[in-house]
Amino acid sequence: MRKGRKQENGRARLIVHDDPKAVGSEAFRTLRTNLQFTSPDQDLKSILLTSAGPGEGKSTVSANLAVAWSQSGAKVVLVGCDLRKPVLHEMFSIRNVPGLSAVLSGAASLKDAIVSSNIPGLDVIPAGPLPPNPAELLQSKAMVSVIEELEKSYDMVILDGTPVIAVTDAAVMANQVDGIVLVIGSNQVPREMALQAKNLLEQAQAKLLGVIMNKVKFKESNMYYYYYNEVDQAQ
């Protein structure tokens, strides 16, 4: 993604949709392919993306990965599981209600919370209104049921979670999904903090599929590039 190019609302744009021939777009397609081959013996149906701390681009990566996956012909749903600071509704210019929080609290049906992104093959479930008990909702039986139902209806379920060190939300969801991807902001997160995030996920018995180094700046082209590393290479 070119430095400084953002949407009017200040959020990073959906580069895979807006500029499919860009270097960053190709990187997301490579990420999609790499993830597809991380579990050759298992049908990968759901992926949770988290980060060590806030501001590392986790939601931008989640959204662009979802677009890239839908471009492969798959039926994809992107779920806003960051119930504390939701941004997906802004990125896709869609309503934030009723949203996931309303579904988990029993105030709305799952069907009513699904919103078309206007991108072929991609639906979005925004986070919804801020609840008083995000962690409790995300580790509830209702959340397990939501993921199970979505896995039946979609080829891929991508969940945009919360930073793993800041709150417990991502860790409590570790066993609800087929795999977790950790997003790390380049030159933003100390190595110790990145390792702490990785250790917290492992303690929660998460299946860590890999680590994404985000916001890597290449001086030659003055572009940001998204690169995927296997977990053992990132240690």
Side-chain angles (χ1 to χ4, degrees), residues 77-156:
V77 62
L78 174 63
V79 186
C81 295
D82 190 342
L83 303 184
R84 302 168 192 270
K85 293 184 178 180
V87 298
L88 293 183
H89 64 288
E90 296 178 355
M91 296 183 69
F92 287 91
S93 299
I94 59 175
R95 55 183 170 84
N96 191 39
V97 291
L100 180 64
S101 61
V103 175
L104 298 180
S105 63
S109 68
L110 179 58
K111 180 180 178 181
D112 289 340
I114 298 174
V115 183
S116 172
S117 70
N118 293 319
I119 295 175
L122 176 60
D123 288 336
V124 180
I125 300 178
L130 177 64
N133 55 342
E136 287 78 6
L137 289 179
L138 292 172
Q139 65 180 333
S140 66
K141 292 182 179 179
M143 186 67 211
V144 175
S145 297
V146 164
I147 295 175
E148 290 177 348
E149 287 301 312
L150 293 176
E151 287 180 341
K152 294 176 183 177
S153 303
Y154 293 87
D155 300 313
M156 173 53 63

Side-chain angles (χ1 to χ4, degrees), residues 71 74 92 110 140 162 171 198 220:
Q71 288 179 346
F92 287 91
L110 179 58
S140 66
T162 56
K198 176 176 175 290
E220 297 86 348

